[in-house]
Amino acid sequence: MTIPIALVGVGKIARDQHLPTIAASPHFHLAGVVSRHADDLDVPAAATIAALKEQVPDLAAVSLCTPPMGRAALIGEALHLGLHVMVEKPPAATISEAERFAGMARAAGQGLYLTWHSRAASGVEPLRQWLSGKAIRRIAIEWMEDVRVWHPGQEWIWEPGIGVFDPGINALSILTHLLASPAEVREAVLRYPADRAAPIAATLALASDAAAEIAVDFSFDQRGPQTWTIAVETDAGHAMLRDGGGRLFVDDAEVAVPEGTEYGRLYARFAEVVAQGAIDADLAPFRLVADAHLIGRRETVAPFRWND
């Protein structure tokens, strides 16, 4: 028997990733949506989680695909109704808000999963295993994509604290999963369009007991081919993740990685969370983003235009 789940928010990420993944999932079936923009879906729809629960009494879980602002209220509503909760990244608008979620779930006795989808890319776990026992000398991250392609016309992406860190936090989620010790931000330069409240590019210098030098370059204005790479130099060879972690190269030779999709693995993990009533709520990537804003030097660049 599959778990009845509802999507809260049916925007681009829900349609591109969550809906097809749930449709193919052996663990879940879509029992409804909380959205005003899902008339094309053949499931119950409501304006609130509580209203949907009335329509679908056996609803057991929700997956939040809304923008990060206001997540505490949605999570609180779902937990109060006895639902397990899965959350799209980033988990909230602020660290203080996100830090409440685990305690809320624990008090309610429900499962909570704050997801980092790039950690579930096919090459990430094989690279983590390859790094075991090796001394990391340097890590170089280049994570560059075009906001016009991935968030067309979505003005919420330019809310303070988001911008280029919407994709950039994906790279940081992989980094914090690979490292055996926590990372910290030593320097940061954040480049803000003159007419926007969030950066369109960032350069970071990080360090960790597990890697003395970590260089990070983010852009949200990449034209043409998109770049998502993490290169690692060790005392026993080098490796690179490409295509957002989907492909792994060791000493310049591509190696086989497990089949499957990022979101397929996320929903498989959420099924475990539901079965165990577990809490999986790592905030390490989010803390690095917050630290980058705290110590980052601001530079102003040309205004942003959607149609440039």
Side-chain angles (χ1 to χ4, degrees), residues 4 70 95 100 160 164 184 209:
I95 291 287
R100 296 172 52 201
V164 73
E184 61 183 59
D209 289 344

Side-chain angles (χ1 to χ4, degrees), residues 156-260:
W156 68 265
I157 205 72
W158 297 111
E159 289 292 319
I162 307 179
V164 73
F165 286 102
D166 180 74
I169 203 170
N170 295 334
L172 298 177
S173 73
I174 295 175
L175 175 70
T176 51
H177 185 64
L178 294 177
L179 294 176
S181 301
E184 61 183 59
V185 181
R186 296 289 176 81
E187 298 179 7
V189 177
L190 311 183
R191 298 176 181 91
Y192 286 73
D195 58 344
R196 302 287 165 165
I200 196 169
T203 303
L204 313 178
L206 285 71
S208 166
D209 289 344
E213 183 181 357
I214 305 170
V216 180
D217 196 4
F218 293 154
S219 175
F220 224 178
D221 198 26
Q222 175 90 333
R223 309 305 174 93
Q226 311 285 274
T227 303
W228 303 285
T229 63
I230 299 179
V232 186
E233 299 175 13
T234 78
D235 63 342
H238 59 273
M240 176 178 283
L241 287 174
R242 297 181 183 173
D243 297 348
R247 300 170 68 194
L248 174 62
F249 293 75
V250 174
D251 294 330
D252 301 319
E254 187 164 9
V255 300
V257 297
E259 296 182 355

Side-chain angles (χ1 to χ4, degrees), residues 42-270:
D42 189 24
V43 294
T48 67
I49 300 172
L52 183 64
K53 178 66 171 172
E54 289 186 3
Q55 294 185 55
V56 186
D58 65 341
L59 185 66
V62 294
S63 182
L64 302 189
C65 303
T66 58
M69 296 70 73
R71 289 263 176 85
L74 292 172
I75 292 172
E77 181 182 14
L79 293 173
H80 177 73
L81 293 167
L83 304 175
H84 303 281
V85 180
M86 175 171 165
V87 183
E88 180 63 77
K89 64 87 194 174
T94 68
I95 291 287
S96 296
E97 182 182 31
E99 286 179 335
R100 296 172 52 201
F101 298 161
M104 291 165 60
R106 194 172 294 110
Q110 302 300 124
L112 172 70
Y113 183 26
L114 306 185
T115 67
W116 301 105
H117 67 78
S118 288
R119 285 183 177 176
S122 296
V124 173
E125 186 58 25
L127 175 57
R128 193 180 72 86
Q129 294 175 10
W130 181 82
L131 287 171
S132 178
K134 296 179 175 67
I136 299 173
R137 292 172 174 166
R138 186 176 190 272
I139 298 175
I141 297 173
E142 292 187 346
W143 217 261
M144 303 179 179
E145 62 182 56
D146 188 350
V147 63
R148 301 165 187 82
V149 172
W150 301 100
H151 295 279
Q154 296 178 15
E155 287 295 337
W156 68 265
I157 205 72
W158 297 111
E159 289 292 319
I162 307 179
V164 73
F165 286 102
D166 180 74
I169 203 170
N170 295 334
L172 298 177
S173 73
I174 295 175
L175 175 70
T176 51
H177 185 64
L178 294 177
L179 294 176
S181 301
E184 61 183 59
V185 181
R186 296 289 176 81
E187 298 179 7
V189 177
L190 311 183
R191 298 176 181 91
Y192 286 73
D195 58 344
R196 302 287 165 165
I200 196 169
T203 303
L204 313 178
L206 285 71
S208 166
D209 289 344
E213 183 181 357
I214 305 170
V216 180
D217 196 4
F218 293 154
S219 175
F220 224 178
D221 198 26
Q222 175 90 333
R223 309 305 174 93
Q226 311 285 274
T227 303
W228 303 285
T229 63
I230 299 179
V232 186
E233 299 175 13
T234 78
D235 63 342
H238 59 273
M240 176 178 283
L241 287 174
R242 297 181 183 173
D243 297 348
R247 300 170 68 194
L248 174 62
F249 293 75
V250 174
D251 294 330
D252 301 319
E254 187 164 9
V255 300
V257 297
E259 296 182 355
T261 66
E262 294 179 10
Y263 279 83
R265 294 186 185 98
L266 293 188
Y267 275 92
R269 172 57 181 151
F270 188 40

